[in-house]
Amino acid sequence: MNRDLPVADRRQVRRAALRLVRRDVPGFTATLLLNSLAAAAALVSPWLLGRIIDSISAGGTVDLLAAIAVGAAVAQLVLSRYAEKVGTRFSERVQEHIRAELLDRVLALPAATVEHIRTGDLTARGTTDVAVVGRTLRDAAPAILVSSLQALFLIVAVFLVDPVLGGCGLLALAGIVAAARWYLRRARPAYLEEGAARSELAEHLAANAAGARTIEALGLQARRTRAADRVIERSRAAQLRTLFLRSVLWPSVEVSSLLPPVLVLLLGGVLLDRGQVTLGAVVTCVLYLRQLGQPIETILIWLEQLQSSGAAFARIEGLAAPVRAEAAAAAPQGDRIEARGVHFAYEGGDDVVTGVDLTVRPGERLAVVGPSGAGKSTLGRLLAGIDRPRLGTVTVGSAPVAGLSPAQLREHVVLVTQEQHLFLGTVRDNLLLADPAAGDDRLGKALAAVGADWVASLDDELGPQSSGVTLGPDRVQQLALARVILADPHTVILDEATAMLDPRTARSAERSLAAVLEGRTVIAIAHRLHTARDADRVVVMDNGRVVEVGAHDELVAAGGVYEALWRSWHGSRSGDADHDAPGR
């Protein structure tokens, strides 16, 4: 399975940008209008300066012209400052929408996608890429908008003053156009490669940090260091590539921006001697073209930021692809879960589930048992829609489980494992994730159902801040089980769900769950075989295959794989199995 999230193409990015603008048309219009007025005001002073020079040459007065020039300069300052304020607010609103949309898309990603993508890639898109786009909206977008309008107005103004001088000056800008075209053809793939390398580096660092103790225990430091060196080298090479592109662009911009006023001065001197232009016209054109260099330079300086931001926006927008792909999945018609001819293999390995055929009837309590490595947890993930079968189908109500959207999936099937997360916030906050509308009475019943009596001993019961430091793994698991009760799915898959609880608490939680889950389909994957004893049917797996299916008593009497497992487990309990197993 591909572990890389998709990247949006240019057309999708353009559509997304237009969509963002349409969400705040007043803000975008006000930004555009104010910047246009500021750019127009900037044209007044150079034009008046040329008139002042011609007026002085003719022996006229310049008081009124000078006053108008000062007024225009003040107007430009006021308009520019207000335009910056309005533009910044607009960009901040757009950035807020991007972050909210990104979070919605991440939460809407199919379970199969989330389980298999690179964590570093998703993290980089949600942090670094969003920050890059945000800086562009805040800084680059207003600057480029202002500079583009200034450049357009200045070019028109130069031609209006004198077409010959204007054409000569603009001809010298051909070097900037050529350098920009060369840069743009190479920039997007280079920045996409840089983003991918950054994601891979984040993934590698996260994996090393999470597995630090295992790496140290197994003496893998040298191997992991070599792998880190390769990842860092790829990131360095990608950054050097984008640096090379900038090192070609900037000198071209600097040289080309100096040529227009120099050529106008030379040609203007010749035309002035011939009486074909006035001194004021030459000065005005030189000032306009000198002024033109500043917005063009600004545009090209921010061009690098635009390419980086465009690549980042493409990566952010790419999160919509797997969400859209799942949106058309058919809704389940019923609660029956069926697996037909299911084969599954992890990337690069052999099948760990082979030819499984299984029907789980609505309301049934099914236990999946087998020796370690038999494929029990993998089958549970397939039934829960987290993994897709390599061959065969897994359906709920005749709809492919792995094709359901997260919202649809939560309504039908919930998988609870021993690995649970405690979110920052209160106990109430953690429970309301499953049902935001639940009141304290319902929350209290859910906690009581899983034996979380310790909540009553807290200072403010549901209110105190909770974290993995203050709550042990057994209590975190109890909160996870309480969330299942609040989510109220028709099928619950428990994969060693009580493994983090001590035996006494686990037995209490299982009794509570047995009462609360009455009438629902429960699939329990466990090593504690008293769970199998209480089930309606037991599915026995060995080497990735279903080798036995039946009730507990039938399988014990059959003398097969299950009977051996039961005898081994019963013996290891030293005669306590019957005492430990709760009644049905």
Side-chain angles (χ1 to χ4, degrees), residues 337-360:
I337 296 177
E338 294 182 310
R340 291 289 176 263
V342 173
H343 294 252
F344 178 81
Y346 291 101
E347 187 175 0
D350 298 328
D351 282 352
V352 293
V353 171
T354 306
V356 169
D357 291 298
L358 181 65
T359 298
V360 184

mmCIF file of all heavy atoms in Angstrom, residues 337-360:
data_model
loop_
_atom_site.group_PDB
_atom_site.id
_atom_site.type_symbol
_atom_site.label_atom_id
_atom_site.label_comp_id
_atom_site.label_asym_id
_atom_site.label_seq_id
_atom_site.Cartn_x
_atom_site.Cartn_y
_atom_site.Cartn_z
ATOM 1 N N ILE A 337 -22.004 -8.589 9.223
ATOM 2 C CA ILE A 337 -20.617 -8.466 8.775
ATOM 3 C C ILE A 337 -20.200 -9.782 8.130
ATOM 4 O O ILE A 337 -20.379 -10.856 8.724
ATOM 5 C CB ILE A 337 -19.682 -8.125 9.953
ATOM 6 C CG1 ILE A 337 -20.036 -6.747 10.519
ATOM 7 C CG2 ILE A 337 -18.219 -8.147 9.516
ATOM 8 C CD1 ILE A 337 -19.228 -6.352 11.731
ATOM 9 N N GLU A 338 -19.622 -9.681 6.930
ATOM 10 C CA GLU A 338 -19.227 -10.876 6.204
ATOM 11 C C GLU A 338 -17.829 -10.707 5.624
ATOM 12 O O GLU A 338 -17.486 -9.636 5.122
ATOM 13 C CB GLU A 338 -20.211 -11.175 5.065
ATOM 14 C CG GLU A 338 -21.601 -11.558 5.537
ATOM 15 C CD GLU A 338 -22.530 -11.886 4.375
ATOM 16 O OE1 GLU A 338 -22.603 -11.069 3.426
ATOM 17 O OE2 GLU A 338 -23.169 -12.952 4.417
ATOM 18 N N ALA A 339 -17.048 -11.763 5.726
ATOM 19 C CA ALA A 339 -15.735 -11.832 5.083
ATOM 20 C C ALA A 339 -15.758 -13.009 4.122
ATOM 21 O O ALA A 339 -16.114 -14.128 4.509
ATOM 22 C CB ALA A 339 -14.636 -12.019 6.130
ATOM 23 N N ARG A 340 -15.367 -12.745 2.865
ATOM 24 C CA ARG A 340 -15.403 -13.784 1.846
ATOM 25 C C ARG A 340 -14.059 -13.863 1.119
ATOM 26 O O ARG A 340 -13.632 -12.904 0.474
ATOM 27 C CB ARG A 340 -16.509 -13.479 0.826
ATOM 28 C CG ARG A 340 -17.915 -13.619 1.384
ATOM 29 C CD ARG A 340 -18.252 -15.093 1.620
ATOM 30 N NE ARG A 340 -19.566 -15.265 2.258
ATOM 31 C CZ ARG A 340 -19.746 -15.426 3.550
ATOM 32 N NH1 ARG A 340 -18.691 -15.433 4.354
ATOM 33 N NH2 ARG A 340 -20.955 -15.582 4.049
ATOM 34 N N GLY A 341 -13.402 -15.021 1.252
ATOM 35 C CA GLY A 341 -12.141 -15.246 0.545
ATOM 36 C C GLY A 341 -11.073 -14.215 0.853
ATOM 37 O O GLY A 341 -10.342 -13.790 -0.046
ATOM 38 N N VAL A 342 -10.967 -13.812 2.116
ATOM 39 C CA VAL A 342 -10.085 -12.701 2.488
ATOM 40 C C VAL A 342 -8.635 -13.165 2.599
ATOM 41 O O VAL A 342 -8.325 -14.122 3.316
ATOM 42 C CB VAL A 342 -10.541 -12.068 3.813
ATOM 43 C CG1 VAL A 342 -9.529 -11.041 4.289
ATOM 44 C CG2 VAL A 342 -11.911 -11.423 3.628
ATOM 45 N N HIS A 343 -7.763 -12.458 1.876
ATOM 46 C CA HIS A 343 -6.311 -12.616 1.995
ATOM 47 C C HIS A 343 -5.723 -11.248 2.302
ATOM 48 O O HIS A 343 -6.152 -10.235 1.737
ATOM 49 C CB HIS A 343 -5.692 -13.144 0.692
ATOM 50 C CG HIS A 343 -6.104 -14.535 0.351
ATOM 51 N ND1 HIS A 343 -5.263 -15.618 0.455
ATOM 52 C CD2 HIS A 343 -7.293 -15.034 -0.105
ATOM 53 C CE1 HIS A 343 -5.895 -16.712 0.072
ATOM 54 N NE2 HIS A 343 -7.138 -16.385 -0.271
ATOM 55 N N PHE A 344 -4.728 -11.227 3.179
ATOM 56 C CA PHE A 344 -4.093 -9.950 3.505
ATOM 57 C C PHE A 344 -2.627 -10.173 3.826
ATOM 58 O O PHE A 344 -2.265 -11.139 4.506
ATOM 59 C CB PHE A 344 -4.777 -9.280 4.704
ATOM 60 C CG PHE A 344 -4.129 -7.977 5.106
ATOM 61 C CD1 PHE A 344 -4.417 -6.807 4.426
ATOM 62 C CD2 PHE A 344 -3.211 -7.936 6.153
ATOM 63 C CE1 PHE A 344 -3.815 -5.614 4.779
ATOM 64 C CE2 PHE A 344 -2.611 -6.755 6.518
ATOM 65 C CZ PHE A 344 -2.907 -5.582 5.831
ATOM 66 N N ALA A 345 -1.795 -9.261 3.324
ATOM 67 C CA ALA A 345 -0.356 -9.291 3.611
ATOM 68 C C ALA A 345 0.108 -7.875 3.882
ATOM 69 O O ALA A 345 -0.325 -6.923 3.217
ATOM 70 C CB ALA A 345 0.419 -9.887 2.433
ATOM 71 N N TYR A 346 0.970 -7.719 4.871
ATOM 72 C CA TYR A 346 1.585 -6.422 5.106
ATOM 73 C C TYR A 346 2.628 -6.156 4.028
ATOM 74 O O TYR A 346 3.126 -7.092 3.381
ATOM 75 C CB TYR A 346 2.204 -6.362 6.505
ATOM 76 C CG TYR A 346 1.164 -6.368 7.596
ATOM 77 C CD1 TYR A 346 0.875 -7.539 8.309
ATOM 78 C CD2 TYR A 346 0.444 -5.221 7.897
ATOM 79 C CE1 TYR A 346 -0.097 -7.544 9.308
ATOM 80 C CE2 TYR A 346 -0.530 -5.223 8.893
ATOM 81 C CZ TYR A 346 -0.797 -6.389 9.597
ATOM 82 O OH TYR A 346 -1.762 -6.384 10.563
ATOM 83 N N GLU A 347 2.947 -4.904 3.840
ATOM 84 C CA GLU A 347 3.812 -4.496 2.735
ATOM 85 C C GLU A 347 5.119 -5.293 2.712
ATOM 86 O O GLU A 347 5.853 -5.337 3.695
ATOM 87 C CB GLU A 347 4.126 -2.995 2.854
ATOM 88 C CG GLU A 347 4.873 -2.431 1.667
ATOM 89 C CD GLU A 347 5.039 -0.926 1.777
ATOM 90 O OE1 GLU A 347 4.568 -0.345 2.776
ATOM 91 O OE2 GLU A 347 5.629 -0.331 0.875
ATOM 92 N N GLY A 348 5.370 -5.938 1.582
ATOM 93 C CA GLY A 348 6.622 -6.664 1.402
ATOM 94 C C GLY A 348 6.660 -8.025 2.065
ATOM 95 O O GLY A 348 7.704 -8.684 2.078
ATOM 96 N N GLY A 349 5.536 -8.493 2.619
ATOM 97 C CA GLY A 349 5.547 -9.774 3.323
ATOM 98 C C GLY A 349 4.573 -10.771 2.731
ATOM 99 O O GLY A 349 3.863 -10.501 1.762
ATOM 100 N N ASP A 350 4.557 -11.961 3.315
ATOM 101 C CA ASP A 350 3.626 -13.004 2.898
ATOM 102 C C ASP A 350 2.265 -12.773 3.551
ATOM 103 O O ASP A 350 2.125 -11.971 4.486
ATOM 104 C CB ASP A 350 4.165 -14.386 3.294
ATOM 105 C CG ASP A 350 5.491 -14.702 2.604
ATOM 106 O OD1 ASP A 350 5.677 -14.224 1.463
ATOM 107 O OD2 ASP A 350 6.325 -15.397 3.218
ATOM 108 N N ASP A 351 1.267 -13.501 3.068
ATOM 109 C CA ASP A 351 -0.069 -13.382 3.640
ATOM 110 C C ASP A 351 -0.061 -13.770 5.109
ATOM 111 O O ASP A 351 0.484 -14.810 5.495
ATOM 112 C CB ASP A 351 -1.045 -14.287 2.892
ATOM 113 C CG ASP A 351 -1.486 -13.687 1.558
ATOM 114 O OD1 ASP A 351 -1.138 -12.514 1.311
ATOM 115 O OD2 ASP A 351 -2.163 -14.379 0.791
ATOM 116 N N VAL A 352 -0.680 -12.923 5.927
ATOM 117 C CA VAL A 352 -0.858 -13.247 7.347
ATOM 118 C C VAL A 352 -2.300 -13.645 7.628
ATOM 119 O O VAL A 352 -2.613 -14.163 8.707
ATOM 120 C CB VAL A 352 -0.446 -12.060 8.242
ATOM 121 C CG1 VAL A 352 1.038 -11.804 8.143
ATOM 122 C CG2 VAL A 352 -1.228 -10.804 7.883
ATOM 123 N N VAL A 353 -3.196 -13.390 6.685
ATOM 124 C CA VAL A 353 -4.567 -13.894 6.721
ATOM 125 C C VAL A 353 -4.822 -14.546 5.368
ATOM 126 O O VAL A 353 -4.592 -13.924 4.323
ATOM 127 C CB VAL A 353 -5.588 -12.770 6.982
ATOM 128 C CG1 VAL A 353 -7.006 -13.283 6.785
ATOM 129 C CG2 VAL A 353 -5.422 -12.215 8.385
ATOM 130 N N THR A 354 -5.275 -15.783 5.381
ATOM 131 C CA THR A 354 -5.372 -16.557 4.134
ATOM 132 C C THR A 354 -6.736 -17.225 4.020
ATOM 133 O O THR A 354 -7.116 -18.053 4.858
ATOM 134 C CB THR A 354 -4.273 -17.638 4.089
ATOM 135 O OG1 THR A 354 -3.000 -17.029 4.282
ATOM 136 C CG2 THR A 354 -4.289 -18.371 2.765
ATOM 137 N N GLY A 355 -7.483 -16.842 2.987
ATOM 138 C CA GLY A 355 -8.728 -17.529 2.651
ATOM 139 C C GLY A 355 -9.762 -17.558 3.745
ATOM 140 O O GLY A 355 -10.440 -18.585 3.928
ATOM 141 N N VAL A 356 -9.955 -16.470 4.460
ATOM 142 C CA VAL A 356 -10.908 -16.451 5.573
ATOM 143 C C VAL A 356 -12.321 -16.201 5.053
ATOM 144 O O VAL A 356 -12.569 -15.239 4.318
ATOM 145 C CB VAL A 356 -10.532 -15.375 6.605
ATOM 146 C CG1 VAL A 356 -11.658 -15.180 7.623
ATOM 147 C CG2 VAL A 356 -9.243 -15.759 7.304
ATOM 148 N N ASP A 357 -13.236 -17.075 5.437
ATOM 149 C CA ASP A 357 -14.671 -16.904 5.190
ATOM 150 C C ASP A 357 -15.360 -16.883 6.542
ATOM 151 O O ASP A 357 -15.225 -17.833 7.324
ATOM 152 C CB ASP A 357 -15.228 -18.045 4.343
ATOM 153 C CG ASP A 357 -14.716 -18.004 2.912
ATOM 154 O OD1 ASP A 357 -14.995 -17.027 2.212
ATOM 155 O OD2 ASP A 357 -14.008 -18.949 2.507
ATOM 156 N N LEU A 358 -16.095 -15.815 6.804
ATOM 157 C CA LEU A 358 -16.699 -15.677 8.127
ATOM 158 C C LEU A 358 -17.930 -14.779 8.029
ATOM 159 O O LEU A 358 -17.906 -13.757 7.335
ATOM 160 C CB LEU A 358 -15.691 -15.061 9.104
ATOM 161 C CG LEU A 358 -16.163 -14.861 10.542
ATOM 162 C CD1 LEU A 358 -16.439 -16.188 11.215
ATOM 163 C CD2 LEU A 358 -15.129 -14.060 11.331
ATOM 164 N N THR A 359 -18.990 -15.170 8.713
ATOM 165 C CA THR A 359 -20.196 -14.351 8.822
ATOM 166 C C THR A 359 -20.459 -14.087 10.296
ATOM 167 O O THR A 359 -20.511 -15.027 11.101
ATOM 168 C CB THR A 359 -21.413 -15.045 8.192
ATOM 169 O OG1 THR A 359 -21.183 -15.234 6.796
ATOM 170 C CG2 THR A 359 -22.665 -14.202 8.376
ATOM 171 N N VAL A 360 -20.608 -12.814 10.634
ATOM 172 C CA VAL A 360 -20.912 -12.424 12.015
ATOM 173 C C VAL A 360 -22.363 -11.940 12.036
ATOM 174 O O VAL A 360 -22.697 -10.922 11.412
ATOM 175 C CB VAL A 360 -19.960 -11.315 12.500
ATOM 176 C CG1 VAL A 360 -20.233 -11.005 13.974
ATOM 177 C CG2 VAL A 360 -18.515 -11.721 12.301
#
